[in-house]
Amino acid sequence: MKGLLVKDYLMLSAQKRFMLLALIMMIVISVSANNGSFVIGYCAFMGSLMGTNSISYDDYNHGYSFLMTLPFTRKEYVLEKFIFCLSCVVLFSVVGALIALVGQMMRGLNETYLMSFGLTYLILIWIAFLIAAIMLPVQLHFGSERARIAFAIVMLSLFVLVIGGIKLTEGLPIQLDPIFSQLSLPLMVGVGIGILGVAFALSYSISLAIMQRKEF
Amino acid sequence: MLVKLDHVKKHYATFDLDCTMELAEGCITGVIGRNGAGKTTTFKLILDLIHPDAGEITILDEPVSKLNTKKREQIGVVLSDSGFSESLHLEAIARILKPMYHTFDPADFKKQAQAAGLPLRQPLSQFSNGMKAKAKLLMALSHHPRLLILDEPTAGLDVVARDEVLDMLRAFMENEQAGILISSHISSDLEGLCDDIYLIDQGKVKLHESNETILSEYGLIKVNASQYEKLDKDYLLAVEKEGYGYACLTNQRAYYQENYPGIVVEKANLDRVLTIMSRGESK
């Protein structure tokens, strides 16, 4: 599995020009536009995208056939993809967070900002992790071209579900807003981790089943 | 036995594969056939890239689906249309292969690459076809495998480079426990290298014979229609209608040379064996 990680990091480093351009853009936005959330979110999602796109690079030019003859199991391949993807999300989001912090430091930092910054970072990285959990099995199953369409459908469906859920709760006799505002931060973090845990467990099982059946 | 396929079947819309094949230690086995005959499908089954519908596949004395990573390290592979990403260069590939194979030596790999005239820091996309073919073979040999599965390893190479590759394969076979399964459209390479040959056509093994027997006992009989009528057909393997009459493949060349002195009987080579077995009518 170490060899697979080395491969994916080497492929990632081959895109340093693109990443440098994105980095410069984020620095400019952070310094000039005072939009730290955008910078963190963009970087976290880019990490998710770069991580899942490693599957496209493996698939490109019939590369999968040769790759799958190397000495690792399909299970190790799937596990490596998850590790690589999560590490990309963490790495990119940390870089984004540092850029946002440096940008804000020029305008002055205070405790209120830092607390809201921390919460924003956690929410955005949570979303990036969730996107990775959804996209990994989608990419493995559909391949890179159709995966983009599948991702759009999945995101749209999630959006409809969320809006539908909100509309539904508005019609309930019991209002949920006061209940939610009573929830403590540790509880919300715990629930968030729990949801991510379930999402990744499901994503891993589905991805493994896809890879075991796949023919190259 | 290094490789054993026992009545392995694979169904596709356009053809059905039904293959029984073996590769013993110390042997080089060649696989020939037209494009679309089933050679690559057979190789993919051996490499567990596709799953058989029936039959058993044993590699290095293990069922292929249960092959562990330690055994997989003993297999070196060259595929004609697949390899590492072409954005990588050989130094990067060495860094990838090092943790994958316990027997891989990066310094030795780089030395071999330089000796073969391959640049270490140029992406594979900038290699010529011949350079890519050499690089693929070097990667397959670099971790000292026991089994080589080579799908058209000499494609795109000039005569000199092909000769160098064949020498590398002969040197590899100095290990008596090793074996090579090789497919190629360049029959002269296989004639000079292989111990035995499988001919696959439309998913079936039409012929399995030792190379020595094909070259010493197989013959091509060229006859007109009236000569064909009088010909003993008991020892004919396949017949193809030609403009002058019939071209007949036999595995008893000496018999026809002795008993039919008036007809043309030539030595058969792998190319003619392939064309007659594929296009002709089997007897």
Side-chain angles (χ1 to χ4, degrees):
Chain A
M1 192 167 72
K2 187 179 168 190
L4 289 172
L5 278 169
V6 170
K7 170 186 67 69
D8 282 342
Y9 284 124
L10 281 168
M11 296 293 298
L12 188 67
S13 70
Q15 297 177 76
K16 44 184 172 293
R17 271 189 207 155
F18 164 72
M19 289 192 290
L20 188 65
L21 204 62
L23 186 74
I24 292 168
M25 199 172 76
M26 292 300 110
I27 291 170
V28 166
I29 291 171
S30 175
V31 166
S32 63
N34 189 21
N35 200 336
S37 310
F38 174 81
V39 170
I40 299 169
Y42 184 89
C43 288
F45 298 151
M46 199 165 84
S48 194
L49 189 71
M50 298 302 251
T52 54
N53 261 358
S54 66
I55 295 170
S56 313
Y57 297 134
D58 289 344
D59 194 14
Y60 184 69
N61 228 12
H62 311 289
Y64 253 139
S65 300
F66 175 73
L67 188 64
M68 299 314 287
T69 67
L70 298 178
F72 53 82
T73 61
R74 294 186 186 204
K75 189 175 177 182
E76 283 172 334
Y77 178 81
V78 171
L79 188 61
E80 185 271 337
K81 283 299 166 207
F82 275 79
I83 292 171
F84 177 69
C85 202
L86 298 186
S87 69
C88 282
V89 171
V90 168
L91 180 69
F92 280 65
S93 63
V94 163
V95 168
L98 286 170
I99 293 172
L101 264 178
V102 166
Q104 183 59 35
M105 268 166 67
M106 294 178 177
R107 285 176 284 275
L109 279 177
N110 57 48
E111 202 178 302
T112 314
Y113 175 83
L114 284 172
M115 281 206 54
S116 130
F117 173 88
L119 196 60
T120 305
Y121 176 81
L122 285 176
I123 291 170
L124 290 170
I125 196 173
W126 185 86
I127 295 171
F129 278 144
L130 201 60
I131 289 173
I134 294 167
M135 277 311 288
L136 275 164
V138 168
Q139 279 261 36
L140 284 172
H141 183 68
F142 289 106
S144 51
E145 288 302 317
R146 290 188 295 166
R148 282 185 208 116
I149 301 164
F151 177 69
I153 293 171
V154 166
M155 287 292 112
L156 191 64
S157 311
L158 273 174
F159 179 74
V160 165
L161 268 169
V162 165
I163 298 295
I166 291 168
K167 291 286 178 207
L168 206 70
T169 54
E170 280 170 3
L172 286 176
I174 302 166
Q175 290 302 303
L176 293 176
D177 277 349
I179 298 171
F180 279 131
S181 64
Q182 298 292 315
L183 293 176
S184 67
L185 183 62
L187 180 63
M188 280 167 62
V189 167
V191 167
I193 290 171
I195 292 171
L196 263 188
V198 168
F200 272 110
L202 260 176
S203 177
Y204 178 77
S205 308
I206 293 168
S207 299
L208 191 58
I210 290 167
M211 276 307 281
Q212 298 287 21
R213 275 199 311 269
K214 212 170 160 89
E215 296 195 333
F216 302 99
Chain B
M1 204 60 70
L2 291 171
V3 174
K4 188 172 175 183
L5 279 74
D6 189 8
H7 292 102
V8 173
K9 293 185 170 62
K10 181 70 181 172
H11 170 72
Y12 287 115
T14 48
F15 89 120
D16 285 294
L17 185 87
D18 186 351
C19 184
T20 296
M21 187 184 278
E22 283 179 355
L23 170 66
E25 280 96 339
C27 285
I28 304 178
T29 294
V31 181
I32 60 173
R34 292 195 289 186
N35 293 335
K39 302 187 299 300
T40 302
T41 303
T42 303
F43 279 35
K44 285 187 171 186
L45 284 162
I46 290 167
L47 293 166
D48 200 26
L49 296 174
I50 59 178
H51 310 301
D53 296 323
E56 285 171 17
I57 305 168
T58 314
I59 309 296
L60 301 169
D61 301 317
E62 292 277 350
V64 70
S65 54
K66 292 186 170 47
L67 218 56
N68 60 27
T69 50
K70 214 171 153 67
K71 288 244 166 157
R72 285 163 74 95
E73 286 188 40
Q74 296 179 43
I75 305 171
V77 178
V78 170
L79 297 178
S80 57
D81 63 350
S82 181
F84 275 113
S85 167
E86 293 199 346
S87 64
L88 296 170
H89 48 63
L90 289 179
E91 253 193 37
I93 289 169
R95 289 171 62 188
I96 295 167
L97 293 177
K98 185 170 179 337
M100 283 191 176
Y101 294 97
H102 289 92
T103 47
F104 177 80
D105 178 357
D108 186 51
F109 173 71
K110 289 177 198 174
K111 201 172 92 176
Q112 301 269 0
Q114 284 173 321
L118 300 175
L120 293 177
R121 293 200 63 87
Q122 193 172 305
L124 295 179
S125 57
Q126 293 176 18
F127 279 25
S128 66
N129 284 339
M131 289 163 77
K132 285 181 193 172
K134 276 197 218 176
K136 283 183 182 177
L137 186 60
L138 269 177
M139 288 178 226
L141 290 169
S142 63
H143 51 92
H144 312 290
R146 214 176 124 206
L147 168 64
L148 279 181
I149 308 286
L150 309 174
D151 189 14
E152 306 214 29
T154 56
L157 294 182
D158 60 46
V159 168
V160 172
R162 266 178 25 222
D163 222 35
E164 288 169 359
V165 163
L166 296 178
D167 283 342
M168 284 162 73
L169 297 179
R170 289 187 193 101
F172 169 77
M173 288 304 295
E174 282 170 16
N175 174 3
E176 286 170 3
Q177 301 299 311
I180 301 175
L181 188 67
I182 177 171
S183 79
S184 180
H185 284 304
I186 305 170
S187 303
S188 55
D189 289 350
L190 299 186
E191 280 168 4
L193 189 70
C194 296
D195 298 300
D196 61 328
I197 301 286
Y198 282 87
L199 190 159
I200 296 182
D201 188 50
Q202 294 181 330
K204 310 281 183 292
V205 174
K206 284 273 181 77
L207 182 79
H208 175 223
E209 193 66 85
S210 78
N211 203 14
E212 200 185 323
T213 303
I214 291 173
L215 295 175
S216 64
E217 292 175 29
Y218 277 53
L220 187 66
I221 303 167
K222 293 179 176 176
V223 290
N224 58 34
S226 67
Q227 286 170 324
Y228 180 70
E229 288 298 311
K230 295 170 199 158
L231 202 63
D232 180 353
K233 296 170 185 58
D234 285 346
Y235 305 107
L236 298 183
L237 297 175
V239 175
E240 188 182 11
K241 206 160 183 343
E242 299 277 11
Y244 55 79
Y246 297 90
C248 314
L249 182 68
T250 177
N251 58 357
Q252 300 292 333
R253 187 174 80 230
Y255 170 79
Y256 287 96
Q257 281 172 328
E258 282 165 24
N259 292 283
Y260 297 88
I263 63 173
V264 174
V265 182
E266 295 172 353
K267 278 188 181 180
N269 58 31
L270 283 182
D271 279 338
R272 280 310 267 145
V273 169
L274 171 61
T275 49
I276 293 188
M277 291 296 290
S278 303
R279 292 200 311 225
E281 190 190 318
S282 293
K283 292 288 171 193

